Amino acid sequence: MIRLYASELSGNAHKVRMALAFLGLDWDERATDAAARRTDAFRALNPMAQIPVYVEGDFILRDSQAILAYLAARHRPGEWDGRTPQERGAIMVWLSHAANEIFNGPALLRAERLFGWSVDRERAAAVAMRILPVVEAHLAGRDWLVGGRLTIADLAASPYLALIGDAGLDLDDWPAIRDWTRRIAALPDFPAMPGWPAEGGE
């Protein structure tokens, strides 16, 4: 049985949750709060004391982007992680954006508002305003980020963009991003996420 150490409101955890649900895999989700992440038992799984952590038998993997890459290679090779070198490179660009600009912009603004994190709000807002127009322009006239289909690029990049309302931003200001995140939420087996707007409503 797959174990996923996560928390309900973690966008990074939700990336993995979506992948598992769309793959039709069963998993045992272990709610892991900040106190649990400081324990020796958890640090043995992830010395960085972060979620998500994916455990499958003796195999342990941390970092949401890495977990997505593993699940794609194991269960949807080519379809989810790129059919050509060009697609693979393009997907990696979006995994990088997810870990860098999207996290250091919209995700940090959300973490400050929801969880009381101490962040450089001015810098996070500036990063958000750099990456949001890039994503919006890329999605104009496209349904998906790469290859005309769902890939791990979409799974990696979407949660903290779908949740920008929690960051004090208005998703309706970014209609291509809004429609893309609603397309993802409309997919069969999409696992609900608090704050992620569905088609036709907030």
Side-chain angles (χ1 to χ4, degrees):
M1 169 67 75
I2 293 166
R3 294 198 309 277
L4 178 65
Y5 293 83
S7 71
E8 181 185 25
L9 296 179
S10 166
N12 281 330
H14 202 66
K15 300 173 187 183
V16 179
R17 200 178 284 124
M18 285 192 295
L20 293 170
F22 293 153
L23 290 169
L25 299 175
D26 293 325
W27 73 95
D28 173 23
E29 188 159 323
R30 306 287 178 91
T32 310
D33 62 13
R37 296 196 290 273
R38 292 192 291 268
T39 65
D40 290 342
F42 186 80
R43 286 178 182 271
L45 296 173
N46 184 359
M48 297 300 292
Q50 297 169 336
I51 53 172
V53 175
Y54 176 96
V55 179
E56 185 179 352
D58 295 331
F59 178 63
I60 301 169
L61 191 60
R62 57 185 167 91
D63 184 85
S64 56
Q65 275 67 243
I67 297 167
L68 291 178
Y70 164 76
L71 290 171
R74 178 160 184 181
H75 298 283
R76 292 286 191 277
E79 180 184 352
W80 272 16
D81 55 6
R83 292 172 176 156
T84 66
Q86 291 81 5
E87 282 191 355
R88 292 184 198 109
I91 288 168
M92 286 304 303
V93 167
W94 290 104
L95 267 62
S96 178
H97 281 319
N100 289 288
E101 293 86 1
I102 293 172
F103 182 81
N104 289 306
L108 286 186
L109 292 173
R110 177 177 179 264
E112 180 191 44
R113 286 169 61 94
L114 286 191
F115 311 125
W117 286 21
S118 177
V119 307
D120 183 337
R121 184 183 307 171
E122 185 175 341
R123 180 180 182 277
V127 173
M129 288 304 106
R130 283 204 306 272
I131 190 61
L132 286 167
V134 170
V135 184
E136 180 74 12
H138 182 80
L139 283 167
R142 290 185 175 92
D143 286 344
W144 308 104
L145 289 175
V146 178
R149 65 188 185 281
L150 181 78
T151 69
I152 58 172
D154 302 288
L155 301 181
S158 58
Y160 289 119
L161 297 179
L163 299 166
I164 62 171
D166 291 341
L169 304 171
D170 189 344
L171 191 57
D172 286 334
D173 290 340
W174 310 97
I177 295 174
R178 178 199 62 207
D179 293 348
W180 164 66
T181 61
R182 288 179 176 176
R183 273 191 293 280
I184 295 171
L187 292 171
D189 300 318
F190 175 81
M193 174 69 169
W196 188 313
E199 187 64 42
E202 295 301 320

